[in-house]
Amino acid sequence: MFPLNTTVATRAGSALAVTSVCGSKTDDLVKQWESEQARLRQQVVEEDTEDWQRTLEFSGLQRVGGVDLSFIKGDDVNACAQLVVLSYPDLKVLYKDSQMVTLTAPYIAGFLAFRETPFLLKALQRLKRDQPALLPQVVFVDGNGLFHYREFGLACHLGVLSGLPCVGVAKNLLQVQGVYKDEEHQSQIAALQKGGDSFPLTAASGKVLGKALRSCNKSSKPVYVSVGHRISLDTAVRLTHSCCRYRVPEPIRQADCLSREYIRKHFPAADTCCKE
């Protein structure tokens, strides 16, 4: 049974407890996961692979997916894994899959994908099995892709294992590889005048790992877009902007709202809200 008198938290929330793994077990697990990330990183495709990606208005794109997990506050094990598929360009819900899941892998910074990807992948597999005509042509992931410690975040992990084009969109800046939330970064944000404006997130090596995007005119706070798999960065940024009615792209926003709604329905005492 899941606790009833609780509120809902996102997996990134500060109130979310962290599963602890101690000592040499942690070291062994980190080495194992680093090796797996390095192996899968070689399979990431950082360029456009679909005809619709190469058109100005994404002609031929009909279905966009979004994935997210919502946790009950104070419980870092039981979560609602959500997949949603929207029509494009009108962004109407075509399909939704909400499943309560029990996470068994520990949370270790930089390895979120090992904790969450299995459940998101299963949701995509259920869709492919039951309603293959609704399989999304691209998936938006609430998290980072190449903009990551080892250039292999959740969006890359899900993309490589699913084989689908994926875009990582994070709400908060991951301070990594020489990219910091410093005065220069803040001044670059202030220079974003309108929806669609962006600036590169450049690592100390000189490689551009992602872009900060002002996603709509309604919000001055950027989102951080990076390649997951089988899409170029410029296309990922354009597509993200085209899917934004609010700050967060609609596929991710709907996945968040629906997962919270599911928890609220099954746990009436839960306090929920949606991304804007």
Side-chain angles (χ1 to χ4, degrees):
M1 293 290 293
F2 302 119
L4 294 179
N5 297 319
T6 52
T7 57
V8 170
T10 63
R11 51 174 158 66
S14 59
L16 187 62
V18 173
T19 303
S20 61
V21 182
C22 301
S24 61
K25 289 185 179 181
T26 302
D27 294 338
D28 291 343
L29 192 58
V30 165
K31 289 177 182 177
Q32 177 186 335
W33 283 354
E34 283 181 341
S35 176
E36 183 68 0
Q37 283 183 335
R39 183 182 70 82
L40 293 175
R41 171 67 180 87
Q42 297 175 15
Q43 300 178 40
V44 173
V45 177
E46 302 177 44
E47 58 188 31
D48 296 328
T49 61
E50 309 302 302
D51 289 342
W52 62 261
Q53 296 169 332
R54 302 182 180 95
T55 64
L56 187 61
E57 309 233 341
F58 302 119
S59 176
L61 179 61
Q62 298 178 324
R63 299 173 308 282
V64 293
V67 292
D68 196 12
L69 268 78
S70 288
F71 289 83
I72 298 173
K73 188 175 181 180
D75 182 348
D76 70 329
V77 173
N78 298 301
C80 179
Q82 183 71 48
L83 166 65
V84 63
V85 181
L86 308 183
S87 59
Y88 186 89
D90 52 346
L91 303 176
K92 303 296 184 183
V93 176
L94 299 175
Y95 173 90
K96 55 185 178 180
D97 180 340
S98 309
Q99 295 279 334
M100 289 302 296
V101 298
T102 301
L103 284 70
T104 56
Y107 174 79
I108 301 175
F111 301 98
L112 179 68
F114 290 94
R115 188 166 159 82
E116 299 190 357
T117 300
F119 305 105
L120 302 178
L121 189 60
K122 284 180 181 178
L124 287 166
Q125 291 169 340
R126 282 193 297 271
L127 173 56
K128 185 176 182 180
R129 179 194 66 205
D130 298 337
Q131 298 187 62
L134 293 180
L135 195 68
Q137 293 162 277
V138 60
V139 179
F140 283 89
V141 179
D142 183 19
N144 292 294
L146 289 180
F147 188 55
H148 177 265
Y149 304 98
R150 288 164 296 282
E151 298 183 18
F152 197 76
L154 178 58
C156 295
H157 208 126
L158 183 63
V160 168
L161 294 185
S162 70
L164 294 172
C166 284
V167 178
V169 182
K171 298 178 296 300
N172 300 306
L173 178 70
L174 181 66
Q175 300 188 78
V176 63
Q177 295 202 35
V179 179
Y180 301 106
K181 195 174 183 178
D182 53 16
E183 186 176 336
E184 179 183 1
H185 184 79
Q186 296 295 345
S187 66
Q188 289 176 302
I189 290 175
L192 301 175
Q193 296 298 307
K194 63 183 185 306
D197 288 352
S198 66
F199 63 85
L201 302 169
T202 306
S205 66
K207 181 175 181 178
V208 175
L209 298 179
K211 285 190 175 183
L213 168 70
R214 180 167 178 171
S215 51
C216 67
N217 292 328
K218 298 176 183 178
S219 177
S220 60
K221 294 181 179 179
V223 292
Y224 298 96
V225 181
S226 56
V227 169
H229 184 50
R230 293 181 57 194
I231 195 167
S232 68
L233 180 57
D234 286 344
T235 300
V237 170
R238 285 197 302 118
L239 182 60
T240 299
H241 179 229
S242 77
C243 288
C244 286
R245 292 173 174 168
Y246 305 95
R247 180 189 174 212
V248 175
E250 200 65 10
I252 292 175
R253 196 182 78 87
Q254 286 292 338
D256 175 71
C257 288
L258 290 168
S259 61
R260 291 171 181 274
E261 179 182 324
Y262 185 90
I263 290 177
R264 186 168 59 242
K265 179 180 179 180
H266 290 81
F267 310 105
D271 179 22
T272 65
C273 62
C274 292
K275 295 179 173 71
E276 295 183 357

